Amino acid sequence: MPTQRNAKKRARPSTDPVDLLDQDRKDEIVMTFQHALKKDETTLTISRAKKCLKNLGLESKSDEIQSFFGGDEEDSSLIECLDQTSFLGFAASKAIQTDAAHRAFELIDQDGKGVVVLEDLQRVAQELGEDMSTEELEEMIQLADRSGDGLLTAQDFVRVARKVNL
């Protein structure tokens, strides 16, 4: 039988991410979890939880889930299943992170073009007092731009924000 660990074992920040979500988003997460359960199940394997997260627009890797709950390969404390409370806590944290990245993108895309261009990054660097060359900013765009067109979409931005834990 797979081992289960409840999110309560993880040291939580003083504000529970679940408390920061509106009720509709909480309901959506819970319904997605419950819909993925098979008859007589109360937990989801990490693999099935990842599929649920993807359906919610909150893609995550197994090691990210493990890390969130303190799972560690070195001491054999890997988590194999998530109960509803654990899933809701993790999904809430990811939703907040994604929402924050979207808000940051909108602030950088001041003109509402739907993309961030070099000039946007130059403006933000200047506003923040950062001394960054055009070459450095172009390199940032190249690293984040999956399409190679020199434009950062919201999806590009969110992906990078997740990688750097923004």
Side-chain angles (χ1 to χ4, degrees), residues 101-118:
H102 278 286
R103 284 192 306 277
F105 177 84
E106 290 169 2
L107 289 172
I108 295 170
D109 178 24
Q110 194 171 34
D111 299 330
K113 303 175 297 299
V115 293
V116 168
V117 295
L118 177 62

Side-chain angles (χ1 to χ4, degrees), residues 15-32:
T15 302
D16 189 336
V18 175
D19 295 338
L20 299 175
L21 292 182
D22 64 43
Q23 192 59 49
D24 289 341
R25 187 65 165 149
K26 289 179 203 176
D27 292 345
E28 177 188 21
I29 292 168
V30 169
M31 285 177 50
T32 301

Side-chain angles (χ1 to χ4, degrees), residues 3-148:
T3 59
Q4 172 190 341
R5 188 175 305 170
N6 194 306
K8 292 177 184 171
K9 289 194 177 184
R10 180 182 178 274
R12 287 190 156 187
S14 59
T15 302
D16 189 336
V18 175
D19 295 338
L20 299 175
L21 292 182
D22 64 43
Q23 192 59 49
D24 289 341
R25 187 65 165 149
K26 289 179 203 176
D27 292 345
E28 177 188 21
I29 292 168
V30 169
M31 285 177 50
T32 301
F33 177 87
Q34 291 174 347
H35 203 73
L37 291 174
K38 295 178 182 172
K39 185 177 180 178
D40 297 328
E41 281 186 330
T42 59
T43 63
L44 290 178
T45 63
I46 296 298
S47 174
R48 288 181 34 225
K50 283 174 39 181
K51 288 177 186 174
C52 287
L53 290 163
K54 185 175 183 176
N55 290 340
L56 291 163
L58 305 171
E59 289 187 57
S60 298
K61 295 182 179 178
S62 295
D63 60 342
E64 187 178 9
I65 296 170
Q66 294 293 341
S67 175
F68 184 84
F69 293 108
D72 188 359
E73 284 185 35
E74 292 180 18
D75 69 6
S76 301
S77 63
L78 290 179
I79 298 155
E80 297 177 20
C81 293
L82 295 179
D83 63 14
Q84 182 174 302
T85 302
S86 299
F87 181 82
L88 178 59
F90 181 77
S93 177
K94 294 301 294 179
I96 291 165
Q97 180 185 36
T98 300
D99 292 347
H102 278 286
R103 284 192 306 277
F105 177 84
E106 290 169 2
L107 289 172
I108 295 170
D109 178 24
Q110 194 171 34
D111 299 330
K113 303 175 297 299
V115 293
V116 168
V117 295
L118 177 62
E119 291 78 17
D120 293 320
L121 293 181
Q122 289 172 322
R123 183 194 81 250
V124 170
Q126 183 179 12
E127 288 172 1
L128 295 174
E130 294 292 327
D131 185 26
M132 298 184 76
S133 70
T134 299
E135 292 78 22
E136 289 173 311
L137 295 171
E138 286 173 341
E139 185 178 346
M140 286 174 61
I141 290 173
Q142 288 173 350
L143 290 171
D145 177 20
R146 279 202 165 159
S147 65

